[in-house]
Amino acid sequence: MVQVMTVCTGNICRSIMAEVVLRHRLAQAGLNDQVVVCSRGVSDEEAGNPIDRRARAALVARGYTVDGTHQARQVTAAELDATDLVLAMTTSHARAVHRLARAASPTPVVAMYRGFDPAAPAVDGRGEDHLLDIADPWYGGPEDFEVCLDQIEAGADGVVAQVRQMLAR
């Protein structure tokens, strides 16, 4: 079993959107019984809140099933102990997870979600990882949620391929 976690700020927009998309793509690939996907936030500011209504609307408009059970949660070091792959939405999220993951054993792989998009900007590890940030749609309108979902969908097949590799080990 592979454990995958998507992480954003409050766990009501980007990370839950990525969780929904990944669950769908993994099911299409026949891997849903071998992979557990969850989402978390690095902040507790939205703890207990449901998915943002605009995020839900963008997902539903594209045919995704969004149940009403999501409650935002903050990532903990203990959860990272059981996680194999953490997909951060921004470099600041990745840094926050790295700080928490120092106590995890084994340490999970922390990667930029958008790094799995073959059309994403190439970065060479010299401080350009921010080019892979998925912009926060919270401050925008419906079109910002559409752009966010576009970026999430663009990386989903790459994540599925990565999970296949992890399962093969």
Side-chain angles (χ1 to χ4, degrees), residues 126-142:
R126 288 185 270 169
E128 296 177 333
D129 285 354
H130 65 89
L131 296 173
L132 296 176
D133 286 359
I134 294 177
D136 190 351
W138 170 258
Y139 301 101

PDB file of all heavy atoms in Angstrom, residues 126-142:
ATOM      1  N   ARG A 126      18.262  25.497  -8.276  1.00  0.00           N
ATOM      2  CA  ARG A 126      18.988  26.680  -7.786  1.00  0.00           C
ATOM      3  C   ARG A 126      18.017  27.765  -7.345  1.00  0.00           C
ATOM      4  O   ARG A 126      18.104  28.902  -7.780  1.00  0.00           O
ATOM      5  CB  ARG A 126      19.918  27.207  -8.866  1.00  0.00           C
ATOM      6  CG  ARG A 126      21.110  26.295  -9.080  1.00  0.00           C
ATOM      7  CD  ARG A 126      22.076  26.894 -10.049  1.00  0.00           C
ATOM      8  NE  ARG A 126      21.684  26.431 -11.381  1.00  0.00           N
ATOM      9  CZ  ARG A 126      22.154  26.903 -12.510  1.00  0.00           C
ATOM     10  NH1 ARG A 126      23.013  27.877 -12.514  1.00  0.00           N
ATOM     11  NH2 ARG A 126      21.766  26.417 -13.661  1.00  0.00           N
ATOM     12  N   GLY A 127      17.079  27.390  -6.497  1.00  0.00           N
ATOM     13  CA  GLY A 127      16.146  28.359  -5.955  1.00  0.00           C
ATOM     14  C   GLY A 127      15.003  28.723  -6.876  1.00  0.00           C
ATOM     15  O   GLY A 127      14.347  29.739  -6.669  1.00  0.00           O
ATOM     16  N   GLU A 128      14.750  27.912  -7.886  1.00  0.00           N
ATOM     17  CA  GLU A 128      13.679  28.220  -8.829  1.00  0.00           C
ATOM     18  C   GLU A 128      12.422  27.372  -8.603  1.00  0.00           C
ATOM     19  O   GLU A 128      11.516  27.403  -9.419  1.00  0.00           O
ATOM     20  CB  GLU A 128      14.180  28.017 -10.264  1.00  0.00           C
ATOM     21  CG  GLU A 128      15.285  28.966 -10.648  1.00  0.00           C
ATOM     22  CD  GLU A 128      15.816  28.689 -12.037  1.00  0.00           C
ATOM     23  OE1 GLU A 128      15.730  27.546 -12.499  1.00  0.00           O
ATOM     24  OE2 GLU A 128      16.306  29.634 -12.662  1.00  0.00           O
ATOM     25  N   ASP A 129      12.383  26.618  -7.517  1.00  0.00           N
ATOM     26  CA  ASP A 129      11.242  25.746  -7.271  1.00  0.00           C
ATOM     27  C   ASP A 129       9.923  26.517  -7.200  1.00  0.00           C
ATOM     28  O   ASP A 129       8.867  25.966  -7.485  1.00  0.00           O
ATOM     29  CB  ASP A 129      11.429  24.946  -5.986  1.00  0.00           C
ATOM     30  CG  ASP A 129      12.431  23.821  -6.144  1.00  0.00           C
ATOM     31  OD1 ASP A 129      12.893  23.590  -7.275  1.00  0.00           O
ATOM     32  OD2 ASP A 129      12.741  23.174  -5.138  1.00  0.00           O
ATOM     33  N   HIS A 130       9.974  27.786  -6.839  1.00  0.00           N
ATOM     34  CA  HIS A 130       8.753  28.586  -6.754  1.00  0.00           C
ATOM     35  C   HIS A 130       8.028  28.650  -8.099  1.00  0.00           C
ATOM     36  O   HIS A 130       6.829  28.924  -8.154  1.00  0.00           O
ATOM     37  CB  HIS A 130       9.054  30.002  -6.245  1.00  0.00           C
ATOM     38  CG  HIS A 130       9.903  30.791  -7.196  1.00  0.00           C
ATOM     39  ND1 HIS A 130       9.360  31.557  -8.199  1.00  0.00           N
ATOM     40  CD2 HIS A 130      11.239  30.892  -7.304  1.00  0.00           C
ATOM     41  CE1 HIS A 130      10.344  32.110  -8.887  1.00  0.00           C
ATOM     42  NE2 HIS A 130      11.489  31.726  -8.365  1.00  0.00           N
ATOM     43  N   LEU A 131       8.752  28.387  -9.195  1.00  0.00           N
ATOM     44  CA  LEU A 131       8.111  28.364 -10.518  1.00  0.00           C
ATOM     45  C   LEU A 131       7.109  27.220 -10.632  1.00  0.00           C
ATOM     46  O   LEU A 131       6.276  27.215 -11.522  1.00  0.00           O
ATOM     47  CB  LEU A 131       9.161  28.250 -11.624  1.00  0.00           C
ATOM     48  CG  LEU A 131      10.119  29.425 -11.750  1.00  0.00           C
ATOM     49  CD1 LEU A 131      11.207  29.103 -12.774  1.00  0.00           C
ATOM     50  CD2 LEU A 131       9.375  30.695 -12.132  1.00  0.00           C
ATOM     51  N   LEU A 132       7.200  26.263  -9.715  1.00  0.00           N
ATOM     52  CA  LEU A 132       6.282  25.125  -9.704  1.00  0.00           C
ATOM     53  C   LEU A 132       5.114  25.323  -8.746  1.00  0.00           C
ATOM     54  O   LEU A 132       4.301  24.420  -8.563  1.00  0.00           O
ATOM     55  CB  LEU A 132       7.040  23.836  -9.340  1.00  0.00           C
ATOM     56  CG  LEU A 132       8.113  23.406 -10.332  1.00  0.00           C
ATOM     57  CD1 LEU A 132       8.851  22.181  -9.803  1.00  0.00           C
ATOM     58  CD2 LEU A 132       7.521  23.136 -11.701  1.00  0.00           C
ATOM     59  N   ASP A 133       5.021  26.483  -8.125  1.00  0.00           N
ATOM     60  CA  ASP A 133       3.914  26.755  -7.201  1.00  0.00           C
ATOM     61  C   ASP A 133       2.584  26.764  -7.942  1.00  0.00           C
ATOM     62  O   ASP A 133       2.470  27.317  -9.039  1.00  0.00           O
ATOM     63  CB  ASP A 133       4.087  28.116  -6.524  1.00  0.00           C
ATOM     64  CG  ASP A 133       5.177  28.128  -5.462  1.00  0.00           C
ATOM     65  OD1 ASP A 133       5.800  27.076  -5.219  1.00  0.00           O
ATOM     66  OD2 ASP A 133       5.400  29.205  -4.881  1.00  0.00           O
ATOM     67  N   ILE A 134       1.599  26.153  -7.336  1.00  0.00           N
ATOM     68  CA  ILE A 134       0.224  26.249  -7.822  1.00  0.00           C
ATOM     69  C   ILE A 134      -0.397  27.418  -7.075  1.00  0.00           C
ATOM     70  O   ILE A 134      -0.483  27.407  -5.845  1.00  0.00           O
ATOM     71  CB  ILE A 134      -0.560  24.939  -7.589  1.00  0.00           C
ATOM     72  CG1 ILE A 134       0.041  23.828  -8.444  1.00  0.00           C
ATOM     73  CG2 ILE A 134      -2.042  25.141  -7.896  1.00  0.00           C
ATOM     74  CD1 ILE A 134      -0.585  22.470  -8.266  1.00  0.00           C
ATOM     75  N   ALA A 135      -0.790  28.450  -7.813  1.00  0.00           N
ATOM     76  CA  ALA A 135      -1.287  29.682  -7.211  1.00  0.00           C
ATOM     77  C   ALA A 135      -2.535  29.431  -6.371  1.00  0.00           C
ATOM     78  O   ALA A 135      -3.379  28.604  -6.723  1.00  0.00           O
ATOM     79  CB  ALA A 135      -1.582  30.713  -8.290  1.00  0.00           C
ATOM     80  N   ASP A 136      -2.636  30.148  -5.274  1.00  0.00           N
ATOM     81  CA  ASP A 136      -3.779  30.019  -4.378  1.00  0.00           C
ATOM     82  C   ASP A 136      -4.999  30.689  -4.999  1.00  0.00           C
ATOM     83  O   ASP A 136      -5.008  31.901  -5.202  1.00  0.00           O
ATOM     84  CB  ASP A 136      -3.444  30.671  -3.038  1.00  0.00           C
ATOM     85  CG  ASP A 136      -4.469  30.370  -1.958  1.00  0.00           C
ATOM     86  OD1 ASP A 136      -5.523  29.796  -2.266  1.00  0.00           O
ATOM     87  OD2 ASP A 136      -4.189  30.713  -0.796  1.00  0.00           O
ATOM     88  N   PRO A 137      -6.052  29.924  -5.301  1.00  0.00           N
ATOM     89  CA  PRO A 137      -7.230  30.512  -5.924  1.00  0.00           C
ATOM     90  C   PRO A 137      -8.147  31.225  -4.931  1.00  0.00           C
ATOM     91  O   PRO A 137      -9.081  31.921  -5.333  1.00  0.00           O
ATOM     92  CB  PRO A 137      -7.937  29.292  -6.531  1.00  0.00           C
ATOM     93  CG  PRO A 137      -7.601  28.181  -5.592  1.00  0.00           C
ATOM     94  CD  PRO A 137      -6.181  28.465  -5.171  1.00  0.00           C
ATOM     95  N   TRP A 138      -7.873  31.072  -3.653  1.00  0.00           N
ATOM     96  CA  TRP A 138      -8.743  31.596  -2.590  1.00  0.00           C
ATOM     97  C   TRP A 138      -9.102  33.072  -2.786  1.00  0.00           C
ATOM     98  O   TRP A 138     -10.216  33.492  -2.562  1.00  0.00           O
ATOM     99  CB  TRP A 138      -8.062  31.399  -1.239  1.00  0.00           C
ATOM    100  CG  TRP A 138      -8.753  32.099  -0.107  1.00  0.00           C
ATOM    101  CD1 TRP A 138      -8.382  33.267   0.481  1.00  0.00           C
ATOM    102  CD2 TRP A 138      -9.944  31.683   0.552  1.00  0.00           C
ATOM    103  NE1 TRP A 138      -9.262  33.610   1.471  1.00  0.00           N
ATOM    104  CE2 TRP A 138     -10.234  32.643   1.535  1.00  0.00           C
ATOM    105  CE3 TRP A 138     -10.795  30.599   0.405  1.00  0.00           C
ATOM    106  CZ2 TRP A 138     -11.338  32.554   2.374  1.00  0.00           C
ATOM    107  CZ3 TRP A 138     -11.886  30.507   1.241  1.00  0.00           C
ATOM    108  CH2 TRP A 138     -12.160  31.477   2.210  1.00  0.00           C
ATOM    109  N   TYR A 139      -8.151  33.867  -3.225  1.00  0.00           N
ATOM    110  CA  TYR A 139      -8.358  35.309  -3.329  1.00  0.00           C
ATOM    111  C   TYR A 139      -8.982  35.726  -4.652  1.00  0.00           C
ATOM    112  O   TYR A 139      -9.216  36.904  -4.872  1.00  0.00           O
ATOM    113  CB  TYR A 139      -7.031  36.037  -3.128  1.00  0.00           C
ATOM    114  CG  TYR A 139      -6.424  35.731  -1.783  1.00  0.00           C
ATOM    115  CD1 TYR A 139      -5.380  34.814  -1.660  1.00  0.00           C
ATOM    116  CD2 TYR A 139      -6.915  36.316  -0.627  1.00  0.00           C
ATOM    117  CE1 TYR A 139      -4.838  34.514  -0.418  1.00  0.00           C
ATOM    118  CE2 TYR A 139      -6.385  36.019   0.620  1.00  0.00           C
ATOM    119  CZ  TYR A 139      -5.349  35.118   0.708  1.00  0.00           C
ATOM    120  OH  TYR A 139      -4.824  34.815   1.922  1.00  0.00           O
ATOM    121  N   GLY A 140      -9.243  34.776  -5.520  1.00  0.00           N
ATOM    122  CA  GLY A 140      -9.761  35.103  -6.843  1.00  0.00           C
ATOM    123  C   GLY A 140     -11.189  34.650  -7.035  1.00  0.00           C
ATOM    124  O   GLY A 140     -11.920  34.362  -6.086  1.00  0.00           O
ATOM    125  N   GLY A 141     -11.559  34.566  -8.292  1.00  0.00           N
ATOM    126  CA  GLY A 141     -12.904  34.149  -8.647  1.00  0.00           C
ATOM    127  C   GLY A 141     -12.911  32.750  -9.239  1.00  0.00           C
ATOM    128  O   GLY A 141     -11.909  32.032  -9.174  1.00  0.00           O
ATOM    129  N   PRO A 142     -14.020  32.366  -9.838  1.00  0.00           N
ATOM    130  CA  PRO A 142     -14.150  31.025 -10.416  1.00  0.00           C
ATOM    131  C   PRO A 142     -13.056  30.685 -11.420  1.00  0.00           C
ATOM    132  O   PRO A 142     -12.597  29.542 -11.482  1.00  0.00           O
ATOM    133  CB  PRO A 142     -15.521  31.058 -11.086  1.00  0.00           C
ATOM    134  CG  PRO A 142     -16.279  32.130 -10.382  1.00  0.00           C
ATOM    135  CD  PRO A 142     -15.256  33.138  -9.962  1.00  0.00           C
TER     136      PRO A 142
END
